Amino acid sequence: MAREIAKAYDPQLIEGKWAEFWSKGDLFRADPAAPGEAFCIVIPPPNVTGSLHIGHMLDHTEIDILTRWHRMRGFNTLYLPGTDHAGISTQRVVVRQLAEQGINYRDLGREEFEKRVWKWKEESGGTIQRQMRQIGESCDWSREKFTLSPELSRVVREVFVRLFEENLIYRANRMMNWCPVCLTVLSDLEVLHEERAGSLWHVKYPVVGSSEFIVVATTRPETLFGDTAVAVNPEDERYIGLIGKKVKLPLTDREIPIIADAYVDKDFGTGALKITPAHDPNDFEVGKRHNLPAIDVLTDDGRMNSHAGAYAGLDRFAARKKAVADLEAQGLLEKIVAHTHAVGLCERSKTVVEPRISTQWFCAMKTLAEPALAAVERGEIQIIPENRRQEFLFWMRNIRDWTLSRQLWWGHRIPAWYCAENGHVTVARETPDVCGTCGSKNLKQDPDVLDTWFSSGLWPFSTLGWPDKTADFERYYPTSVLITGYDILFFWVARMAMLGIHFTGQVPFRAVYLHSLVRTGSGEKMSKSKGTGLDPVALNEQYGTDAMRFCLASMAAPGTDIVLSEDRLLGARSFANKIWNAARFLFVNLEKYEQTGAKLEQLAAPEIRAAAPFAAAGEIPLADKWLFARLAETIAAVNQAFDTYYFHEAAQQIYQFFWGDFCDWYIEWVKPDLQSANAERAEVAWKNLFAAFDAALRLLHPVMPFLTEELWHQLPQKAGAKSIALDTYPVAGERWKNRAALDEFAFLQDVIKSLREVRSQMKLDPKKKVQADFSSADAGLRASLAANLDAVLRLGILSGLNVTAERLEQPGGAVRSTARFDLRIAYSDVVDVTGESARIKKEIEGLAKAIQSKEKQLSNEVFRSRAPEKVIKEMEGTLTEQRVELQKLNDRLAQLGG
RNA sequence: GGGCGGUUAGCUCAGUUGGUUAGAGCACCUGCCUUACAAGCAGGGGGUCGCAGGUUCGAGCCCUGCACUGCCCACCA
């Protein structure tokens, strides 16, 4: 095997290489016949607006991390990537593109329009999938093609018809939210509310047959053309005499009645309310009670229609200005009061939505919600984190009926047909020949399509072949986990839960992990349409995908949102670079070692790595014992972290191990051994080093797939081994665990750090080796130091170390003491008595405080009786040590004359 | 108007059942281009954990109130 390890870490090069490899697609393609535990994951797809969105980068990073982790631990994982909800986005893009060419999409005709949308979907879908591979996404996308396929349409119709037959789907005339840009109704969930500063216009309506006026307050004066009454509270004494009279509607010739309705709040505005049943939900209700006509004054695209007389054709906001001006000119505008109120905005277009009356299809939700609610309450569906669970429960308990129909041209057509003669409705799985009621052959299908979330809500079982009993369905349903952002908890997660349980009798997934959203610095949700998004592809190119993934993972603490920062990305990139350079060290040094006739195969073959750690002269070197013990600790912590979706904790653990332990201590420690004249020692050092490095790569692989893949291929692997992703995850075996080695190594680190600290404080020339004395009553420590003298001398930059049990005489030099040992660097130039005294005083201060608080607690009988034994014992142990340290510090201070 | 979260070092954030002197990265200061790595190495300074009470032997963590901030939900003109 030709070893090639570039001089510098280059993410572009590595990522390009392996993205292509993974795109061949056989790494994670689930095979139901394969051994291993089934583990099924559902994720949302990238937004089909042309490129990858940062939010999806997070979705896919987390899911890809888990998938690789599962796969390496022997689970047979199946992704179900994608939902159907990209439909509206797709349509919106095409509508916009057409508009730029001056074409109204509705003029194209339905068929032509659908063709264009399909074309775009295929093009952008390809782009997205290519981008997903570039970011390390390794899943099988074949099921994503299911979106809007005839197979899915079949399932959608099946579900619709069944719900209709169960009387859960119905058609009704209601006040709806209408988006004048998207030209469709919206469900309540698709309307965002935003506080806006507006005005409350007080308009004088002349009372017919008198010179009086009744003043109404309104935020939307342009709707007065649709007024069919003025309402007052029946108990409002100001207006009691006016009830039943008529007013002349300004700007028109119409006269409308003054009615009494308890809905009117006497204390708001003027206490008189204009009633516009066609354009306000409350007015609609009032109108029904009083049999008032509803006059729609708007066109579909938000302009005034013929009911607005001279205003016809004006945009609604222009009409508002004109109405105000005209009223003012006629002396009918009493005053204008500043008023902030919530306006409803279309989630997609951000246009102010208009309440309008129309006939739509609805789904009754109570029946569907109850079992889903119960499943979450009983824990059959686990929602993480906990506060999202509460949100889910609250929403489900207060659920409202779901508006299913949309006046769009893209999506699954509603399987309902109307006969021309009587308007009978026929709902059917297949296109019917005759009306189910009157037998008419003159049928027309409902032009509307279903909310995309309707088909998305079927995803976990529709993709597995339902309603047929397929092998996939048997094996993978219910799925194991759904990972997505909490912003679609209600849109998607709740609907999947309800529909899944209703149609399969089982929960669609056992766990839902809701991750944070990536926000901008100012707290906004990152969004392409708002222009606040970061482009993950560009960031990947800039910092490297591995760095990006590591950064996202390390920031993905559950419960709080993520603000991506340049600092963190740079830190992650540095980490990638660090790993690369550690690998470079191994291979560059190996070349030297190979001159002795050694072969990589004999040092790092898989079966050799599996048998590590090795012993030299009958004993495993301390540093090696320590490293494998640390590795075992880290593996356990990382597994635990992934298991509970603590991605940030896993990232942190790996970072600490790789950089702090492996690079800073272990490699530095064993450097001389690697070229040792002692052949056995050198060989063992190499074997252990490669074994540890290999395990560390596998440990890291889920988070940084490209880098680890590249480096893994530099090591000897079994014949035919394709990818590190198909290797095993390291196991924290008993052989590696070693408490004693951890403690002993920590002691040596303590000594070395003390030496370095003293040197630094004394401002010694870094190359100047000095003599030091070590004193401890503990024979074990002295023995350990003697056994590891070479490393301590080298890393502490000493010319010699005198180890003794005697108490140190304290003439010159600098001293560092712990409870267990004293260290002195003999160096005549130490003169900074003031500085040294100050440092010691400060340390004494801190230590005294700590001792005091412990003494106080330990002398408290209540504490002794109530605190756990372990806490007391540990505290006593530390107290003893700290007292010794304090004594030593005081002695030292006295000696310095402080 | 309801609900949820945040407030910890100069900055960005960890801190998982309350338990010894609260951590990381970046930034900063000091010294080093020590042939894996200056995207680095060694050392260092820096926080009364938003404010005020309370519970507890013990609180960054639990309770109450307040302030600031963000998000979600909500048909009051």
Side-chain angles (χ1 to χ4, degrees):
Chain A
M1 184 195 72
R3 224 183 295 137
E4 289 171 31
I5 187 133
K7 278 250 163 63
Y9 166 62
D10 181 354
Q12 302 292 321
L13 209 69
I14 297 169
E15 290 169 12
K17 192 168 161 186
W18 298 113
E20 180 55 30
F21 171 68
W22 283 325
S23 75
K24 303 225 169 20
D26 56 356
L27 286 187
F28 292 102
R29 183 158 295 157
D31 173 6
E37 189 174 328
F39 200 98
C40 188
I41 292 169
V42 184
I43 43 166
N47 200 328
V48 186
T49 47
S51 67
L52 185 60
H53 180 269
I54 189 80
H56 296 114
M57 175 81 196
L58 183 59
D59 286 329
H60 286 253
T61 295
E62 292 192 343
I63 206 73
D64 197 59
I65 287 172
L66 284 192
T67 303
R68 287 168 192 276
W69 178 62
H70 287 137
R71 180 63 191 76
M72 292 178 82
R73 295 194 318 153
F75 297 155
N76 185 26
T77 311
L78 175 68
Y79 265 116
L80 293 181
T83 76
D84 216 24
H85 83 267
I88 283 189
S89 305
T90 312
Q91 186 191 44
R92 196 164 46 112
V93 171
V94 175
V95 167
R96 199 169 54 218
Q97 285 177 342
L98 289 168
E100 278 163 15
Q101 300 165 32
I103 303 169
N104 182 333
Y105 74 102
R106 285 178 199 252
D107 296 340
L108 280 181
R110 193 156 193 149
E111 209 169 296
E112 176 60 23
F113 177 70
E114 279 192 9
K115 251 192 237 165
R116 305 257 183 131
V117 174
W118 265 112
K119 187 163 164 256
W120 170 253
K121 181 179 157 51
E122 270 163 24
E123 285 168 5
S124 62
T127 309
I128 291 288
Q129 290 185 26
R130 202 159 51 245
Q131 289 181 350
M132 296 313 290
R133 288 198 295 272
Q134 281 164 9
I135 67 169
E137 167 64 71
S138 55
C139 75
D140 172 8
W141 277 87
S142 58
R143 276 163 221 267
E144 203 269 341
K145 297 197 178 71
F146 198 53
T147 299
L148 291 166
S149 66
E151 292 76 33
L152 181 56
S153 290
R154 187 173 71 97
V155 180
V156 169
R157 283 199 303 273
E158 178 70 29
V159 165
F160 189 94
V161 171
R162 287 200 198 181
L163 288 172
F164 181 77
E165 284 167 354
E166 293 172 61
N167 290 321
L168 291 174
I169 281 183
Y170 62 94
R171 207 161 166 256
N173 193 41
R174 292 235 176 118
M175 178 63 69
M176 300 304 307
N177 304 299
W178 177 263
C179 173
V181 170
C182 301
L183 301 177
T184 182
V185 297
L186 304 170
S187 74
D188 295 328
L189 266 182
E190 290 165 297
V191 178
L192 305 172
H193 296 271
E194 192 176 296
E195 287 284 322
R196 285 207 180 159
S199 304
L200 200 51
W201 285 278
H202 287 55
V203 181
K204 298 200 268 193
Y205 284 25
V207 177
V208 174
S210 84
S211 57
E212 275 182 279
F213 293 98
I214 187 162
V215 181
V216 302
T218 179
T219 54
R220 300 167 64 207
E222 75 281 6
T223 62
L224 72 78
F225 296 104
D227 288 4
T228 50
V230 168
V232 297
N233 190 292
E235 287 166 16
D236 193 334
E237 288 165 10
R238 290 173 296 180
Y239 300 118
I240 216 145
L242 292 176
I243 297 169
K245 291 192 176 172
K246 292 200 164 192
V247 293
K248 180 179 167 295
L249 189 59
L251 311 180
T252 71
D253 302 327
R254 282 198 291 127
E255 290 183 1
I256 56 175
I258 298 171
I259 60 169
D261 195 289
Y263 163 73
V264 181
D265 179 354
K266 286 191 291 186
D267 301 321
F268 188 90
T270 61
L273 176 60
K274 70 195 229 11
I275 300 298
T276 322
H279 292 288
D280 183 278
N282 294 307
D283 293 9
F284 180 67
E285 294 303 318
V286 174
K288 272 207 289 199
R289 282 199 288 274
H290 297 269
N291 281 321
L292 298 171
I295 304 173
D296 190 334
V297 300
L298 290 172
T299 61
D300 286 355
D301 59 354
R303 285 170 308 166
M304 307 306 289
N305 67 16
S306 58
H307 290 295
Y311 285 60
L314 271 184
D315 176 77
R316 51 193 166 143
F317 298 111
R320 179 176 300 173
K321 271 190 193 153
K322 182 166 158 60
V324 170
D326 289 349
L327 289 168
E328 174 129 55
Q330 295 179 21
L332 293 175
L333 189 62
E334 191 188 66
K335 61 177 173 178
I336 305 171
V337 179
H339 178 67
T340 52
H341 63 294
V343 296
L345 302 177
C346 168
E347 185 208 17
R348 301 272 166 188
S349 67
K350 311 297 182 229
T351 325
V352 177
V353 298
E354 287 295 335
R356 285 181 99 192
I357 301 164
S358 62
T359 302
Q360 304 294 338
W361 287 94
F362 295 90
C363 184
M365 298 308 279
K366 274 266 179 286
T367 317
L368 293 174
E370 274 163 21
L373 197 50
V376 171
E377 279 169 343
R378 283 199 300 265
E380 285 168 33
I381 298 176
Q382 199 194 350
I383 297 184
I384 304 148
E386 171 65 20
N387 59 322
R388 301 292 167 204
R389 179 175 179 268
Q390 296 302 335
E391 255 174 52
F392 178 91
L393 293 175
F394 182 81
W395 189 77
M396 291 287 275
R397 284 180 189 130
N398 298 286
I399 197 157
R400 295 154 63 175
D401 285 359
W402 178 12
T403 312
L404 294 178
S405 43
R406 296 288 183 279
Q407 288 66 52
L408 297 164
W409 282 14
W410 179 251
H412 300 280
R413 285 282 285 278
I414 292 175
W417 287 261
Y418 309 103
C419 67
E421 287 78 7
N422 305 302
H424 294 139
V425 181
T426 305
V427 170
R429 287 170 179 83
E430 303 298 335
T431 306
D433 296 325
V434 294
C435 172
T437 312
C438 65
S440 161
K441 290 189 173 175
N442 203 355
L443 292 177
K444 243 187 159 171
Q445 188 173 4
D446 192 311
D448 290 358
V449 299
L450 288 160
D451 181 5
T452 57
W453 294 107
F454 186 80
S455 45
S456 299
L458 314 175
W459 200 254
F461 56 93
S462 65
T463 44
L464 292 172
W466 186 92
D468 302 332
K469 281 201 162 58
T470 62
D472 273 356
F473 186 85
E474 293 297 317
R475 185 163 169 90
Y476 291 108
Y477 194 91
T479 69
S480 314
V481 63
L482 164 74
I483 296 198
T484 189
Y486 63 77
D487 54 336
I488 51 176
L489 177 61
F490 305 137
F491 282 112
W492 193 38
V493 182
R495 270 100 182 237
M496 283 195 287
M498 291 186 281
L499 294 170
I501 293 174
H502 188 75
F503 285 102
T504 69
Q506 296 178 73
V507 296
F509 26 69
R510 303 197 191 282
V512 179
Y513 173 64
L514 294 157
H515 65 238
S516 318
L517 298 182
V518 182
R519 293 187 182 276
T520 62
S522 53
E524 281 176 283
K525 191 161 106 180
M526 287 215 177
S527 139
K528 273 179 74 104
S529 54
K530 278 193 211 162
T532 53
L534 296 173
D535 178 359
V537 174
L539 286 175
N540 286 332
E541 277 167 14
Q542 196 178 347
Y543 298 98
T545 305
D546 281 330
M548 179 79 164
R549 285 174 64 121
F550 186 85
C551 182
L552 285 173
S554 72
M555 299 189 76
T560 48
D561 286 341
I562 295 173
V563 179
L564 261 193
S565 71
E566 167 126 25
D567 277 357
R568 295 292 287 250
L569 279 165
L570 281 170
R573 192 188 63 170
S574 300
F575 183 47
N577 188 50
K578 186 73 181 176
I579 294 159
W580 185 260
N581 280 307
R584 245 172 67 73
F585 168 80
L586 292 192
F587 291 111
V588 169
N589 275 272
L590 181 64
E591 277 173 25
K592 287 186 219 162
Y593 180 63
E594 279 171 333
Q595 288 162 12
T596 67
K599 290 266 186 312
L600 181 59
E601 272 301 325
Q602 292 154 3
L603 300 171
E607 60 278 10
I608 293 173
R609 299 200 302 262
F614 294 93
E619 200 179 339
I620 301 169
L622 173 66
D624 298 23
K625 280 193 280 192
W626 168 76
L627 187 73
F628 283 94
R630 277 291 301 132
L631 195 47
E633 282 189 327
T634 308
I635 290 165
V638 168
N639 281 334
Q640 151 96 29
F642 281 148
D643 221 16
T644 49
Y645 310 101
Y646 273 59
F647 294 93
H648 67 300
E649 176 66 19
Q652 183 57 39
Q653 287 285 337
I654 297 170
Y655 183 93
Q656 169 56 37
F657 173 78
F658 212 112
W659 199 319
D661 297 329
F662 185 73
C663 292
D664 290 347
W665 284 99
Y666 183 70
I667 289 184
E668 293 304 326
W669 196 279
V670 301
K671 262 180 183 174
D673 296 341
L674 297 173
Q675 309 294 346
S676 174
N678 178 335
E680 188 201 7
R681 185 168 189 148
E683 188 186 321
V684 162
W686 277 108
K687 283 179 175 171
N688 286 340
L689 181 58
F690 275 122
F693 182 66
D694 167 71
L697 285 181
R698 286 181 285 129
L699 183 67
L700 178 61
H701 177 258
V703 185
M704 296 180 125
F706 293 108
L707 180 58
T708 49
E709 181 83 64
E710 172 70 21
L711 295 174
W712 184 83
H713 281 277
Q714 302 290 335
L715 296 171
Q717 303 298 351
K718 286 186 186 117
K722 267 194 242 173
S723 167
I724 185 174
L726 301 173
D727 201 344
T728 55
Y729 210 60
V731 176
E734 287 304 318
R735 215 155 35 90
W736 289 1
K737 293 177 187 166
N738 194 332
R739 186 71 251 166
L742 289 171
D743 289 340
E744 187 181 346
F745 200 79
F747 155 69
L748 294 171
Q749 286 177 310
D750 229 11
V751 170
I752 292 165
K753 281 197 265 191
S754 295
L755 289 166
R756 287 169 173 173
E757 190 199 329
V758 170
R759 296 183 59 95
S760 178
Q761 222 116 53
M762 290 167 72
K763 302 211 189 308
L764 290 184
D765 178 341
K767 283 177 185 145
K768 167 96 179 156
K769 292 184 178 177
V770 293
Q771 178 70 30
D773 299 296
F774 174 90
S775 153
S776 176
D778 187 330
L781 297 188
R782 295 198 306 273
S784 169
L785 207 49
N788 295 282
L789 196 58
D790 288 351
V792 174
L793 292 181
R794 187 164 44 86
L795 300 175
I797 317 170
L798 297 174
S799 54
L801 180 64
N802 174 40
V803 179
T804 172
E806 307 288 310
R807 254 194 85 132
L808 293 180
E809 296 301 321
Q810 313 254 354
V815 175
R816 281 295 178 281
S817 299
T818 71
R820 299 192 297 169
F821 65 83
D822 299 292
L823 260 180
R824 185 184 61 202
I825 286 187
Y827 194 70
S828 54
D829 290 356
V830 62
V831 280
D832 187 8
V833 175
T834 329
E836 186 69 356
S837 300
R839 189 190 65 78
I840 292 173
K841 276 181 188 159
K842 197 171 166 189
E843 209 164 309
I844 287 175
E845 206 179 306
L847 205 51
K849 220 165 95 185
I851 289 172
Q852 211 178 3
S853 92
K854 274 191 215 55
E855 281 174 340
K856 191 176 149 204
Q857 278 205 26
L858 286 167
S859 64
N860 186 328
E861 280 313 311
V862 192
F863 168 71
R864 284 189 168 280
S865 62
R866 294 195 192 173
E869 181 71 12
K870 188 175 162 239
V871 172
I872 295 174
K873 261 183 99 172
E874 280 176 1
M875 205 179 273
E876 281 172 342
T878 313
L879 180 59
T880 311
E881 285 192 3
Q882 288 179 334
R883 280 177 172 154
V884 175
E885 280 175 40
L886 183 65
Q887 184 58 45
K888 287 180 175 177
L889 283 169
N890 279 324
D891 291 350
R892 177 74 182 143
L893 190 60
Q895 220 175 36
L896 287 168

